[in-house]
Amino acid sequence: AQSVTQPDIHITVSEGASLELRCNYSYGATPYLFWYVQSPGQGLQLLLKYFSGDTLVQGIKGFEAEFKRSQSSFNLRKPSVHWSDAAEYFCAVGAEVEYGNKLVFGAGTILRVKS
Amino acid sequence: GAVVSQHPSRVICKSGTSVKIECRSLDFQATTMFWYRQFPKQSLMLMATSNEGSKATYEQGVEKDKFLINHASLTLSTLTVTSAHPEDSSFYICSARISHHRFQETQYFGPGTRLLVL
C-alpha cells in the first residue's frame, strides 16, 4: 500500500535560516508527489508538485523540492525562512486508482520560526 | 485560478440533527471532488470521492448512510452529516481535481468547515 512518512513532527528554525523538510514515500509505480501548506484553521495550499521531468521542482513562496527516486524521497527546501512560513506542511503522493488519483498524506510537519 | 470555496466555515449543531456542507469550484469545472476529515493535530483522511452525476465512492470504514454526498453539478458537491453526534465533530475539507493528463492531476483544497456537535 502507498504511504508517506514525514519523520519530523516539529521543526524550529530561526528567521533567515535555511529549511529542509523531509518526506519519504512508498509506492510501487511512478509517484506523483505534492507538498501542501496549511495555516491554522485553514485549508491546504499547494506549494509544488512533481509529475515527471526535472527532478528539482520550483514552487511558490520560494520553496523547492527534489525528487530522488533512489532514496524514495521528496524533500522540501527553502534557502531563507520568513516568519510567515510558520505553518504545517504536508507531503502527499498521488496513488493511481481506477478513477484517477487518490492522495495519500504524510502526518505533517509543524514549522516554527523564531526571530 | 483554481479556487475552491466551502460553506459554512464553521457550524455548531445539536446532537441528532443533520448538517450540510457545500463545496464549490469557483473558476473551473470539477468532475471529481474529494471529501476529507482532519482530526486535531492529525493529517487528512480521505472519506469519499464525489463524482458528478454518479454515486460517491467511499473509503473503507466510512459510513455512506451517515455521510451523504451529492455532486449535482460540475461546480458543486455537498456533504451531509446525518444524525450528527459529538464524535462527528471535526474539520471537514473538500478538494476539487484538475486533470492535466491521465493520472497527472492536482487537487485544490477548500478552506475547510469546522463542525462542532453538542
Side-chain angles (χ1 to χ4, degrees), chain A residues 36 38 49 100-102 106, chain B residues 38 43 59 103 105-107:
Chain A
Y36 287 89
Q38 184 180 33
K49 62 192 176 199
N101 244 343
K102 181 170 87 169
Chain B
Q38 186 179 31
S43 188
E59 294 299 298
F103 296 117
E105 306 161 354
T106 301
Q107 290 185 30

Side-chain angles (χ1 to χ4, degrees), chain B residues 30-89:
Chain B
T31 55
T32 303
M33 293 183 174
F34 301 86
W35 287 97
Y36 294 85
R37 184 172 180 177
Q38 186 179 31
F39 292 101
K41 302 186 187 302
Q42 294 188 28
S43 188
L44 282 75
M45 298 300 295
L46 179 65
M47 298 175 65
T49 302
S50 171
N51 301 297
E52 187 267 338
S54 64
K55 291 182 179 180
T57 303
Y58 290 82
E59 294 299 298
Q60 191 172 8
V62 178
E63 299 176 61
K64 60 180 68 174
D65 294 331
K66 180 161 190 64
F67 298 100
L68 300 179
I69 291 172
N70 183 272
H71 195 149
S73 76
L74 289 172
T75 59
L76 173 65
S77 175
T78 60
L79 169 68
T80 301
V81 184
T82 63
S83 186
H85 289 93
E87 58 265 30
D88 299 323
S89 299

